[in-house]
Amino acid sequence: MTARPWRMARRAPLPRHWNVRASDVYALVGANALIIAAMWLRHGGTDQFSTISGTISAIGQLTALLGTYGALLQLVLMSRSPWLEQVFGLDRLAFAHRWLGFATVWLLLGHAVGTTVGYAMGDGSSVLAEAWTFLTTYQYVLMATVGMGLFVVIAVSSVRYARHRISYETWHGIHLYAYLAIALAFMHALVVGTDFKDDPIARIYWIGLYVVAAGLILAFRFGAPIRLNLRHRMRVVNVVQEAPDTVSVYIAGRDLDRLPVRAGQYFQWRFLTPDGWWRAHPYSLSAAPNGEWLRITIKDLGDDSFAARRLAIGTRIFAEGPYGAFTGGSRKQPRVLLVGGGIGVTPLRALLEELPGEAGDIALLYRARRWSDVVFREELDTLAGLRGTTVRYLVGRAGHEVPADPLSAAWLRRYVPDVAERDVYVCGPVSMMAAVAASLRTLGVPASQVHQESFTY
């Protein structure tokens, strides 16, 4: 089986559109933060400001409440809720998840330090003695401390230096401990927390927040993938060599014509082999959905992605998704520019096939260091001929076979003079996407017309 680079007769249904706006989400998050602060005031938060020890303890209480709220928001961001991805897109959600995560850890550390120091000053004891008292006499404080340690480990693994030195699977596995960390802290907050133990309304409110966050996790992180795989029963039907280090995997299943997915989206794929069933890999579709099969294309990046070429026909697959807003649904202009780098061309290949448009409406710039890194050249050329699309290959060493900065503002304007009037979809290495984004800003392309998919395969 090989791809047919033309528009298919059968179309897969589009994913559900959620009637949610970013302003609605901001208002809801802000309103709950105000309610939490108001409850802290109602419970005498500022009454403790008469002494230094009381002030430090009060700050420790407030940081505990805001840190706990931040942790619950992190659960919501981790839930893979499709309405959040539709509204904000993956890159904005990843940015919010990263910085909210760091803020949450600092708030919880502030709670631990503030409460311990404040109580130690009030009791006239040392900080170490007070900490030991908390650990040995207060209910669930030891569990909460373990949870705090897990949060710190997760934060450290997310620092750029560490993130670039561990595999995606290791990083993803570490982040799953966030569920355990929040669970360990829950009983401590419920039994010891000021806003919990003396106010039944506050208890109900906070328990409600936990229930909503857990419900989103269960519905979208676990329930949706289980339902999808029970219905579609996906399996490998072919593996095709695209380049010396790149293969395409063709996937069939039951009722794929009812799978709501768009070109540009990706799944988390688990190939159910003895040595790979426990690892999930994020791969975009490299061909437009057609109701008959799906295709992903995998480049050997030095991790276990190399194992894809050894997949046996008939291997069962557990997929989670589809995820991402890197689709035609984000399009605002009638004309489009696609900019891809290396294997990042995979979702652009699918978009090139699916996006509607007349001749000249779509252009593709494909940057690669070597011709051996170019995949789908035959398919791209065929699609270009059939659809009247312009495809320009920017292949070679910068300053030699191609200009020193082939994706600079000047060169982008030369390739596509009306670039400021187009939607621009960019996918490739992070450094390349950052450079293209800077060039587009120089050219005056509105941010709402620039769509990016982080290159994390």
Side-chain angles (χ1 to χ4, degrees):
M1 178 186 297
T2 56
R4 293 169 286 175
W6 54 79
R7 192 170 299 281
M8 303 298 180
R10 291 205 297 168
R11 304 292 296 163
L14 297 180
R16 176 180 176 181
H17 180 81
W18 299 78
N19 190 24
V20 179
R21 298 171 299 179
S23 57
D24 298 330
V25 179
Y26 293 140
L28 182 61
V29 172
N32 277 285
L34 289 175
I35 291 172
I36 291 169
M39 285 193 296
W40 176 74
L41 291 172
R42 177 172 173 265
H43 297 146
T46 57
D47 295 345
Q48 305 173 68
F49 285 180
S50 58
T51 65
I52 295 178
S53 63
T55 299
I56 296 174
S57 297
I59 293 173
Q61 292 171 1
L62 182 59
T63 55
L65 295 172
L66 295 178
T68 302
Y69 182 47
L72 292 177
L73 289 177
Q74 285 289 80
L75 281 185
V76 174
L77 291 176
M78 293 170 65
S79 69
R80 296 290 191 184
S81 301
W83 50 275
L84 278 178
E85 293 194 358
Q86 173 192 295
V87 172
F88 296 105
L90 286 176
D91 282 351
R92 291 174 66 189
L93 286 179
F95 179 85
H97 177 70
R98 174 180 174 80
W99 291 109
L100 178 60
F102 289 136
T104 296
V105 171
W106 282 114
L107 285 168
L108 294 177
L109 284 172
H111 160 63
V113 173
T115 302
T116 304
V117 172
Y119 273 68
M121 291 177 66
D123 294 341
S125 62
S126 69
V127 172
L128 290 178
E130 196 68 35
W132 182 253
T133 300
F134 281 151
L135 289 171
T136 56
T137 62
Y138 280 67
Q139 290 180 295
Y140 303 108
V141 170
L142 180 58
M143 291 173 58
T145 302
V146 174
M148 181 70 254
L150 292 174
F151 275 125
V152 171
V153 170
I154 294 168
V156 170
S157 73
S158 298
V159 174
R160 293 191 187 279
Y161 180 86
R163 178 66 186 90
H164 292 161
R165 283 160 178 77
I166 59 177
S167 67
Y168 172 83
E169 293 78 17
T170 301
W171 176 84
H172 185 262
I174 291 173
H175 271 62
L176 292 180
Y177 282 101
Y179 300 132
L180 177 59
I182 293 174
L184 289 173
F186 175 69
M187 289 305 297
H188 164 68
L190 189 64
V191 174
V192 180
T194 303
D195 270 26
F196 286 86
K197 63 179 183 179
D198 298 323
D199 187 341
I201 295 177
R203 286 173 68 94
I204 293 172
Y205 171 80
W206 274 102
I207 291 173
L209 291 181
Y210 275 90
V211 168
V212 169
L216 290 173
I217 289 287
L218 291 174
F220 296 118
R221 193 84 187 197
F222 297 102
I226 291 172
R227 185 171 63 251
L228 179 146
N229 287 278
L230 286 176
R231 178 174 188 178
H232 297 293
R233 301 178 183 274
M234 298 186 206
R235 65 191 185 282
V236 175
V237 292
N238 201 10
V239 179
V240 176
Q241 192 89 24
E242 302 285 1
D245 59 354
T246 304
V247 297
S248 285
V249 179
Y250 288 79
I251 298 160
R254 188 174 64 180
D255 296 334
L256 288 187
D257 58 328
R258 298 183 181 181
L259 175 64
V261 59
R262 301 188 72 155
Q265 291 191 297
Y266 76 96
F267 291 80
Q268 292 276 1
W269 304 94
R270 293 178 188 270
F271 300 107
L272 303 185
T273 59
D275 60 345
W277 63 269
W278 55 277
R279 291 188 294 260
H281 301 273
Y283 297 125
S284 299
L285 299 183
S286 61
N290 56 53
E292 299 175 9
W293 43 262
L294 304 173
R295 185 181 74 175
I296 57 177
T297 301
I298 305 169
K299 181 181 178 67
D300 179 15
L301 298 176
D303 54 12
D304 61 304
S305 55
F306 179 81
R309 68 182 62 204
R310 299 194 301 268
L311 287 171
I313 305 302
T315 298
R316 294 292 302 273
I317 296 171
F318 188 91
E320 304 170 38
Y323 301 131
F326 191 71
T327 69
S330 303
R331 184 178 180 179
K332 304 193 172 48
Q333 301 296 328
R335 292 192 163 197
V336 173
L337 170 62
L338 310 174
V339 183
I343 195 63
V345 77
T346 51
L348 302 180
R349 155 64 180 84
L351 284 169
L352 183 61
E353 182 179 353
E354 181 179 276
L355 289 175
E358 303 298 327
D361 284 351
I362 302 174
L364 169 65
L365 301 178
Y366 189 172
R367 175 75 177 107
R369 293 185 178 181
R370 298 176 296 273
W371 282 106
S372 59
D373 295 329
V374 175
V375 293
F376 309 133
R377 185 177 184 185
E378 182 179 347
E379 293 181 17
L380 294 173
D381 290 343
T382 301
L383 278 169
L386 291 170
R387 305 204 57 199
T389 299
T390 300
V391 176
R392 184 185 295 269
Y393 299 96
L394 308 174
V395 181
R397 292 179 300 164
H400 295 271
E401 294 88 353
V402 296
D405 186 0
L407 297 175
S408 66
W411 281 103
L412 287 179
R413 184 187 288 114
R414 181 175 296 188
Y415 303 141
V416 187
D418 64 345
V419 60
E421 301 168 10
R422 294 178 180 246
D423 277 275
V424 184
Y425 290 78
V426 188
C427 185
V430 173
S431 58
M432 187 209 83
M433 291 197 300
V436 173
S439 297
L440 295 175
R441 285 194 297 270
T442 301
L443 293 169
V445 181
S448 61
Q449 292 172 211
V450 180
H451 317 285
Q452 294 189 346
E453 181 83 318
S454 293
F455 181 55
T456 57
Y457 306 125

